[in-house]
Each structure stands twice: as C-alpha cells, then as structure tokens.
Amino acid sequence: MGNGRSGLGQRACSQFLPEEQGEVDRLFDALSSQGSGLNTSPRSFSLKALKSHVGEALPPEMVTRLFDGMRRVDLTGQAKGPSESVTQDQFTVSMSHLLKGTSKEKSLMILKMISATEGPVKARQVQKFTEDLVGSVVHVLTHRQELRGWTQKNAPGPPSRVQVLAAQLFSEMKLADGKKVLGPQQLDCECDQAVIEDWVFRAHLVATFLSVIIHRGFFLHLSLDLASLVPERQVDQGQEFESVLDILSVIYVNSHLPREQQHRWHLLFSSEHHGHSFTQLCGRITHRGPCVLLLEDHDGHVFGGFASCSWEVKPQFQGDNRCFLFSISPSMAVHTCTGYNDHYMYLNQGQQTIPNGLGMGGQHDYFGLWVDVDFGRGHSKAKPTCTTYNSPQLSAQEDFRFEKMEVWAVGDTSRTQPGKSGKSILDVDPEAQALLEISGRSRHSEGLREVPDQE
C-alpha cells in the first residue's frame, strides 16, 4: 500500500508506527472504495464518501472542514488549486499532521480547514473554527457515549457552554503585535501561520480536540487516552446527582489538574445531598486528598478552586503552589499562584478571634474565595486582584449568597477519613469539642489514647 507515495507522503508515514500506518491505510481503503464516481479515481475519496463513513458522529460542518483541509494539501508545491477529492498521500499527510504533527504542522492544517486561499485569515474565522471544534468534541463524545457519567447541558441563557469554552481558547491567541483580540473591532485583524502556530502551542486543548474528533469521528482504531481528558464521574451508590458542571466545564478544569489527578472525580460533598451545613462540609472533605470545590451563586456565576492537598481544620494557611482558583460562568478562566504569599487554603471552625470558614487566596476577611461558617454566605474580594492567585472577583457580588456547593475528590481518593485515621471527631471538629465542654461533660477518651500526629 505504500508504493508510489510522494516524498511528503513517505515522510508522513515515518511518523506512524507500523500498526498505526496500517490502520490509516485501512481507513483510506474503506473511504476510497465507497461509491467512486466518474470524477473520483479509485485511489481517492470524495466528500460524499467521507460523510457516509462518518454518519452522525460529527456535525456536517466539521466533516466538510476536515475534507477541505485534506484536499488542500499541496504535495508538490506546484498545485494550482485544491483537488476535487482526497488522494492517499493527502490523507496520510493530513493524518500525520493532525495526530502526530508539530504545532507548525497542525497550524498549517487548521489554516487549510479555515480558508481555501493561501495566506492569513481573519480573527473572526479563527473564532468560528474554534466554536465548531468545541461543538464537535461534545457532539462526538455524546454520539459515542463516552461522557463517562457527565452530562451535556447548556448554561441557563446565552452564551452556551460551547461558546464560553471556545471564547476562552480563542482568548489565548495573540496577534502579530503580541496583543490579544480584546473586542469585536479586532475580529477583522489578520492571523498568519505564525500566529496560529503560537496559539496551538499555548492552547493545548486545540490539538487535543482535533485528535479526539479524528479518532472518534473517523472511527480510527488507534489508542486514545480519554481518561485524562474526561475523568470518570463517581457518586456514592444509590445517589442520583446532577452537577453544576457540564462535560465541557469538567474538561476545562480537569485539563489544569496535575496529570495524576485527572482520571477520576469522586463526589465528597454536595449541599443538595448533605445539607447546608458547614460541619457536614468539614466532616466530608478533610483528610481526603486533593479536591475541586465549586459554587453557584444566586446570580448564576459558577466558580471554585483546586485544593492540591488534603483539607485540615486548623487556624493556619495550608496547601501549596499547585492550588488555583477558576471560574466557569459567565466566562471560563483559571488563576494560578503569583508567589506573593502562601495563603493557598484555609479551613477553620470554632475559633473566636480569627475567621471561621473555608478560604482560598488573599488574607483574613479578604479572601479570593470565602465560604462562611454561616453556610450559604461567602465573599470574593479582589481590588483589583487577589494577591495569592491574581484572580478578579469571581462572584457577581462581592458578598454573595449561594445554594449549590460541590466538592469532588480528584485522582485516587485518600481513604484516611477522620473516622478511620485514629482521630476522634473532636480532634477535627472544634465546634463539637466546644459544645461538649459547654455542656459540662468531659472527653472520656482524653488521656486514654495517644495524641494524634499533627499532619
């Protein structure tokens, strides 16, 4: 099958392992054998053949984009225009660039998928391509039933979650002058190959999404590790739970987690299931390893933070520089550590002189994200930004109210729960200890067991 390949085609083949090249060739044979018309040679395939093969796995607009990108590949550098069908060399080169290529090679394919003409494209064309790409990922994962327990849903009212994530990815692009596209007036600015290459290099989800739609949309039987893209969703048996997050929100937040924590999310706490109780929150999230917490305020803003270490009830700050804050709605963004201070995480209860609640970033009474011990209240203070995470105000109002809060353990969850760690609940719940002392009763275990290690 490799006979008669062009030089570019042979170089593309060298990017694949033998079994991978065999699968690419098998797919081309299947496509080129479908209804060869008068204008289609036996060793090429038409748009009709590709649409027939893909079926409903991808939106028709994306199938056309992929076909146009492949037929515009110029193998000799002398072509006067795109071919009417896709030859085997064009197909192999396209697969090599999209699946195995450098940022430069991927950017060349993206430009061909966007425009029939050589040269720069408009920023608005890149914006539309990004929306089509994000929408196609949701489409194909839904079609192939690979949402892994998560749901596809739209945020209430415009914009859709597809548009929100597409806007985030598009915002990563810098124009030739090094500035980002900040408003509609810049959508007519030109984006050349260097701009697209830089964008693909920095916005890594663009390349990942291209790979997903090729593998799953073309039914390509090659290994694709979806676990690091879409984590398995685990909820305790017998519980039905609809998360504030949809599939795209999960993919976005998950892509910023340490790789060893990307494969699984396990629900630890939900205000819907476990009540509006700060004591319940503390009891369920402490000593459970890294986790993601998120809230939806009364104005519909969705935001949260990643805690890289187990939460502990104590009056000191905790955590490390892997922690971050994020927003999901009305826009998606991740805010990482500045190095200005180490106020990454804070969880306290039952104290009289320092704040009681859960916080991330900033300082006492001025947190980047704060959930008060009076559950249902919080604040996000940033004038102009949080000192720890450089985050803006995440909530609609600086002092906000919320109904929905979720905490998910990520990765292989720790099993050193308070009740199983040798600690009394009084060690981890100062409020319970205070109530016991107020009632005049003693701690019967005091003096009869070893003092637990300070973690």
Side-chain angles (χ1 to χ4, degrees), residues 210-229:
L210 282 168
S211 180
V212 169
I213 65 173
I214 292 293
H215 279 89
R216 293 301 189 256
F218 283 9
F219 304 93
L220 198 58
H221 302 310
L222 296 176
S223 62
L224 175 67
D225 181 19
L226 273 181
S228 60
L229 179 71

Side-chain angles (χ1 to χ4, degrees), residues 268-282:
L268 295 179
F269 173 84
S270 156
S271 55
E272 177 185 325
H273 280 307
H274 305 119
H276 287 229
S277 165
F278 194 80
T279 299
Q280 277 281 346
L281 173 68
C282 290

Side-chain angles (χ1 to χ4, degrees), residues 350-388:
Q351 301 291 318
Q352 294 183 348
T353 58
I354 54 178
N356 294 307
L358 180 153
M360 294 189 71
Q363 60 193 40
H364 289 172
D365 300 318
Y366 205 89
F367 284 90
L369 172 58
W370 174 254
V371 176
D372 198 80
V373 70
D374 180 12
F375 198 86
R377 295 178 180 272
H379 72 241
S380 177
K381 297 185 178 181
K383 288 186 171 45
T385 59
C386 168
T387 54
T388 310

Side-chain angles (χ1 to χ4, degrees), residues 168-232:
Q168 195 287 322
L169 295 178
F170 181 65
S171 73
E172 295 291 320
M173 188 176 70
K174 293 182 179 180
L175 299 171
D177 59 4
K179 296 180 181 178
K180 293 187 176 184
V181 180
L182 298 177
Q185 69 277 9
Q186 291 180 289
L187 289 176
D188 286 322
C189 292
E190 291 189 338
C191 305
D192 60 16
Q193 188 269 321
V195 167
I196 304 299
E197 179 182 349
D198 177 70
W199 178 55
V200 172
F201 179 78
R202 288 182 299 102
H204 65 276
L205 279 178
V206 173
T208 301
F209 287 174
L210 282 168
S211 180
V212 169
I213 65 173
I214 292 293
H215 279 89
R216 293 301 189 256
F218 283 9
F219 304 93
L220 198 58
H221 302 310
L222 296 176
S223 62
L224 175 67
D225 181 19
L226 273 181
S228 60
L229 179 71
V230 184
E232 178 189 0

Side-chain angles (χ1 to χ4, degrees), residues 16 20-28 53 91 95 99 144 211-224:
F16 292 110
E20 293 173 334
Q21 184 58 54
E23 176 60 19
V24 171
D25 288 343
R26 181 205 63 78
L27 178 56
F28 177 79
H53 175 80
F91 182 69
M95 293 298 99
L99 300 179
R144 299 296 295 271
S211 180
V212 169
I213 65 173
I214 292 293
H215 279 89
R216 293 301 189 256
F218 283 9
F219 304 93
L220 198 58
H221 302 310
L222 296 176
S223 62
L224 175 67

Side-chain angles (χ1 to χ4, degrees), residues 87-134:
T87 67
Q88 185 168 19
D89 276 355
Q90 286 177 317
F91 182 69
T92 302
V93 169
S94 299
M95 293 298 99
S96 173
H97 284 2
L98 289 169
L99 300 179
K100 301 276 192 175
T102 62
S103 297
K104 180 178 181 178
E105 290 168 334
K106 286 182 171 67
S107 68
L108 291 171
M109 285 303 302
I110 288 172
L111 285 170
K112 294 180 188 302
M113 292 170 67
I114 291 175
S115 174
T117 59
E118 294 290 331
V121 295
K122 301 291 187 183
R124 69 174 68 252
Q125 293 176 284
V126 182
Q127 182 185 47
K128 181 62 169 65
F129 167 81
T130 310
E131 290 183 3
D132 288 352
L133 179 66
V134 174

